[in-house]
Amino acid sequence: MIEMKNSKPVLGVETSCDETGVALLRWDPENPGRGLLSHALFSQIALHAEYGGVVPELASRDHVRKLLPLVREALKSAGLTPADLGGVAYTAGPGLVGALLVGASAARAMAWALGVPAIGVHHMEGHLLAPLLEDDPPEPPFVALLVSGGHSMLVEVKAIGEYRILGDTLDDAAGEAFDKTAKLMGLPYPGGPALAKLAEQGTLGKFRFSRPMVDRPGLDFSFSGLKTQVLLAWQASDKSEQTRADIARGFEEAIVDTLAIKCRRALEATGAKRLVIAGGVGANKRLREQLAQAGQADGFRVYFPRLAFCTDNGAMIALAGAIRLASGQHQDETIQVHPRWNLESLPAA
Ligand code: KG4
Ligand code: ZN
């Protein structure tokens, strides 16, 4: 078995969707953020914008083009060479199969060539551990709200690797709801940040949409009905810029309120006192403000990754991979990806 030298840096590779991310991290159990040596990212947003969404084949081809130059860049800014690496971590799923295969093949090949272990990382585990990269990181047990383009989940984190899904989306994920709603009001891709920016100009209360599924017990989410409500409101409106902003404000408030209500319920149900917010929608300013306020009122502490580590990045993959490599886990030489992958099926770290 090839053992990882704990003191040596791990290369993290993220290619599950439309961001190529790489990072170098030396595992430091005392302070994981201090171990981050460098990170580099290339976002494909401009490439997909003219199609209004991610085109999987274009995504894969662009990961092929960008990955190795980014690895070189990250090594250079950390002052390292490939021979300094102690292991390689890559996103093995969930995600777009072609995109995942680019990162997995390159990472597996680098690990093989360097004679170091490789580990396939669950993308959502990466997201939920991202707040550990900040100062004063959260310690399990905690509840994590994972809100990205593909997922809306509440997860009970008993320990790293021990996850219980408390609630999931029954249809659209939170980020998907932002993106689709933005698109139907004519905003550019990716809709989430564009809609959030527009909402800042809107007046609260001009449009009020329902908070889906909060009137019944349980922690699941459903956002597709909200999108239809917005469509009807938009079609019946004067379609002015101000109205568009007012609708955006009403929509954002409905999503943020719904997420906050469910977070409070999940904390009550588990008795946890710490809440971790992660994933692209975790970059949303209103969500961050509202949950921080809820924490002050209810006596729980809220942890967020910095904005750059809310959306997809290589640092979170380097971190999750380094933790697993340090505990002796690694993959054999087969290149395997899991476009669908249940978070609860992961082994303890
Ligand atoms: O985690 P992520 O980068 O990729 C996935 O794993 O899906 O999340 C991307 C999602 C997109 O749906 C994007 O619109 C949304 O996060 N997003 C936002 C904001 N920034 C990114 N949604 C609302 N407000 C934002 N500020
Ligand atoms: Zn993601």
Side-chain angles (χ1 to χ4, degrees), residues 123 127 148 312 316:
H123 181 79
H127 274 304
S148 69
D312 291 348
M316 66 184 196

Tab-separated table of all heavy atoms in Angstrom, residues 123 127 148 312 316, ligand 2:
chain	number	residue	atom	x	y	z
A	123	HIS	N	-18.381	15.500	-3.968
A	123	HIS	CA	-18.442	16.955	-4.141
A	123	HIS	C	-19.176	17.646	-2.983
A	123	HIS	O	-18.747	18.707	-2.503
A	123	HIS	CB	-19.149	17.237	-5.481
A	123	HIS	CG	-19.270	18.671	-5.836
A	123	HIS	ND1	-18.234	19.393	-6.361
A	123	HIS	CD2	-20.310	19.538	-5.727
A	123	HIS	CE1	-18.644	20.637	-6.586
A	123	HIS	NE2	-19.898	20.749	-6.196
A	127	HIS	N	-18.176	20.581	-0.242
A	127	HIS	CA	-18.909	21.803	0.117
A	127	HIS	C	-19.116	21.891	1.619
A	127	HIS	O	-18.919	22.923	2.231
A	127	HIS	CB	-20.281	21.831	-0.567
A	127	HIS	CG	-20.256	22.399	-1.950
A	127	HIS	ND1	-19.758	23.660	-2.227
A	127	HIS	CD2	-20.694	21.907	-3.142
A	127	HIS	CE1	-19.889	23.900	-3.526
A	127	HIS	NE2	-20.444	22.850	-4.107
A	148	SER	N	-26.846	24.314	-3.415
A	148	SER	CA	-26.068	24.583	-4.625
A	148	SER	C	-26.998	24.518	-5.832
A	148	SER	O	-28.216	24.498	-5.689
A	148	SER	CB	-24.950	23.541	-4.750
A	148	SER	OG	-25.511	22.289	-5.041
A	312	ASP	N	-18.156	26.353	-6.413
A	312	ASP	CA	-17.211	25.246	-6.623
A	312	ASP	C	-15.756	25.728	-6.631
A	312	ASP	O	-15.446	26.781	-7.194
A	312	ASP	CB	-17.531	24.558	-7.960
A	312	ASP	CG	-18.860	23.823	-7.870
A	312	ASP	OD1	-19.387	23.665	-6.747
A	312	ASP	OD2	-19.364	23.406	-8.919
A	316	MET	N	-11.829	23.034	-1.365
A	316	MET	CA	-12.691	22.149	-0.560
A	316	MET	C	-12.423	20.674	-0.898
A	316	MET	O	-12.544	19.799	-0.041
A	316	MET	CB	-14.164	22.510	-0.775
A	316	MET	CG	-14.694	22.243	-2.184
A	316	MET	SD	-16.404	22.819	-2.350
A	316	MET	CE	-16.896	21.963	-3.882
B	2	ZN	ZN	-20.929	22.536	-6.053
